[in-house]
Amino acid sequence: MDGMTTTTPRATRIVLRAARLFDGVTGALVPDPLVLIDGSRICAVDSGVRPPADAAVLDLPGATLLPGLIDTHVHLAFDASAEPVRRLGERTPDEALAAMTAAARAAARGGVTTVRDLGDRDYLALELRGRPGLPTIVAAGPPLTTPGGHCHFLGGATGRGATAVRRAVRDHVERGVDVVKVMASGGNLTPGSRPEDAQFTSAELRAAVDEAHRNGLPITAHAHGISAIAGALSAGVDGLEHVTFWTSDGISAPPELIQHIADCRVIVGATLGVRSVPGATVPPPVAARAQSIRANLRRLRSAGASIVAGSDAGLGAAKPHDAARYAYAALLDIGCSPAEAMRTLTSAAAAVCGLAHRKGRLAPGYDGDIVAVDGDPFADPAAIHRLRAVYVGGRPVLSAAPPIPNENTRSRS
C-alpha cells in the first residue's frame, strides 16, 4: 500500500465518484455517488449528477465510498510488535513520539481516520493532535491506575484515596486530555495484575467520575471482572472498555448485570478487530475465553446495550494500528447487519468520541475523511480491506491515482 501513497498537489475542490456510497447513517447504499470536497470539508453529496466544472475528479469505478473508520480504543505508544511493552520501555521520549507518529500514519493509510488513544506514555499522544496526514486523535494520556497496577509503567499511577484520585484527574485536565481513562480492573498485560480483580474502591471511582464530569470530560473504565464492571457502573462512568466478565478460571456474566449495563446506556467498548498473522498467537487465557466473550457480546446486543468497537490497536502483531477494519467482520459475527456494523465503526463511534458533529458521516459540513474500497462491503465483507483511496481532512493519504482536471463533458462509465 505504501507504493500507492501520493503527494501530488491537489486542487482546492475535489470530486470523488464511485459505484456506491454509505453515508454513515442510512441502511441502503447510495448508487452512482458524487462527493465534493472543498478544502478540508465535504460540501456536497449527490447521486447521478455531473461534477462541477471547477473541480478535479477522482473516478473510482466499482468502489464504495465510506466515512473514515473510527477506532474508539487504540494505543499509539505500543508498536504492534511481539513485545510492545518492552520496546516502549526502551525508547526515549523522542523515539517514542516518532514511533507513535508512524503508528498514526499507518492507521490513516489503513482507513482509520480518527482514533481514541486510551493510554499513552507521558501524554505523548496529545502532542500528535492536529498534525497533517495523521488521524484525528482523541487522547486520554496515561490511564489512571493504582500504585503498581495495570499499565502503571505508562505513568498514570495515583495515590490511594478519593483525594489523590481527584488530584490525578485534575492533573490530566490541566494537561489538556480529551477523555479520562481509569483502570477499574487489572489486566493481562501487566505482571502481578489480574483482570478479575478490581483496583479502585467505590469511593475512589466515584471521585474520578465526579472530577472528570465537573471539568466537562467523559470518563471510561477498563473493566474485565464483575466487581470492576459493577463498581464502574455504580460510579457513573460514561463507558466500559472490554467488559469480558473475566473470572480466575473462565467467564461468568450474570443476566442481571448484562441488563443493568444496557439499562444504564453506558457505552460498551467491545474489544474487536484481530488480524490473522502467521506465527502470532492470542494469549492462551484470552483464547480459552474468546468464545464465551463473543457469546456475551451477543447477549449485550440483544439486551439493547450500546456497543462500539475498540480494537486495542498496538498490543501485538495481530493488533495493527489499522485494526478497526478487522472489527467489521467481528461485528457481523455478533449479530449486526452490515449497515449496523458500518454505523458502529463510523457515526456511532464518532458520537462516543464527542465528534458526531463533524465525523462519521458523508454529508455536507462534515470533515473530508473518506475511504474508498474496491467492491461492496455489505455483500462482501472482505472488500473493506481492498483500499483504493483514503482522504483525511480532504487530503489524500492513500490514492491509486491523483484527481484529474474536469471539463464536465465526460460521462460516467
Side-chain angles (χ1 to χ4, degrees), residues 1-2 4-5 66-71 101-115 133-135 275 320-328 342 345 370-373 382-392 396-399:
M1 278 192 287
D2 286 355
M4 298 170 64
T5 301
L66 308 169
L69 304 182
I70 300 173
D71 195 332
T101 302
R105 190 172 291 121
R109 288 199 304 265
V112 183
T113 61
T114 300
V115 299
L134 301 186
R275 180 181 66 175
H321 290 96
D322 60 352
R325 291 203 319 274
Y326 299 88
Y328 179 57
M342 203 65 78
L345 291 168
I370 304 171
V371 175
V373 300
I384 199 170
H385 301 297
R386 298 196 292 269
L387 299 172
R388 290 180 64 179
V390 179
Y391 279 70
V392 176
V397 297
L398 176 75
S399 185

Side-chain angles (χ1 to χ4, degrees), residues 37-177:
I37 306 170
D38 192 344
S40 64
R41 297 290 181 93
I42 297 169
C43 63
V45 178
D46 215 326
S47 174
V49 300
R50 289 181 179 274
D54 65 342
V57 178
L58 179 61
D59 268 313
L60 297 160
T64 302
L65 301 180
L66 308 169
L69 304 182
I70 300 173
D71 195 332
T72 64
H73 190 146
V74 308
H75 297 282
L76 295 175
F78 295 135
D79 64 1
S81 67
E83 297 183 86
V85 175
R86 179 185 64 79
R87 287 166 66 100
L88 175 60
E90 292 172 350
R91 293 190 174 106
T92 66
D94 286 346
E95 290 169 342
L97 193 63
M100 292 170 69
T101 302
R105 190 172 291 121
R109 288 199 304 265
V112 183
T113 61
T114 300
V115 299
R116 188 170 65 154
D117 190 304
L118 290 183
D120 70 9
R121 190 182 77 184
D122 300 330
Y123 300 91
L124 291 176
L126 279 66
E127 298 185 30
L128 297 181
R129 293 180 300 192
R131 292 195 181 184
L134 301 186
T136 296
I137 297 171
V138 176
L144 302 182
T145 192
T146 52
H150 184 43
C151 287
H152 64 90
F153 46 81
L154 295 176
T158 78
R160 298 312 307 240
T163 299
V165 170
R166 283 184 182 276
R167 188 181 305 115
V169 173
R170 284 197 297 273
D171 182 58
H172 279 63
V173 171
E174 290 166 2
R175 298 271 192 151
V177 302

Side-chain angles (χ1 to χ4, degrees), residues 188 195-196 246-251 282-291 293:
N188 288 301
E196 65 268 27
W246 194 284
T247 69
S248 60
D249 57 359
I251 298 294
V282 176
V286 177
R289 294 165 170 83
Q291 186 173 346
I293 292 170

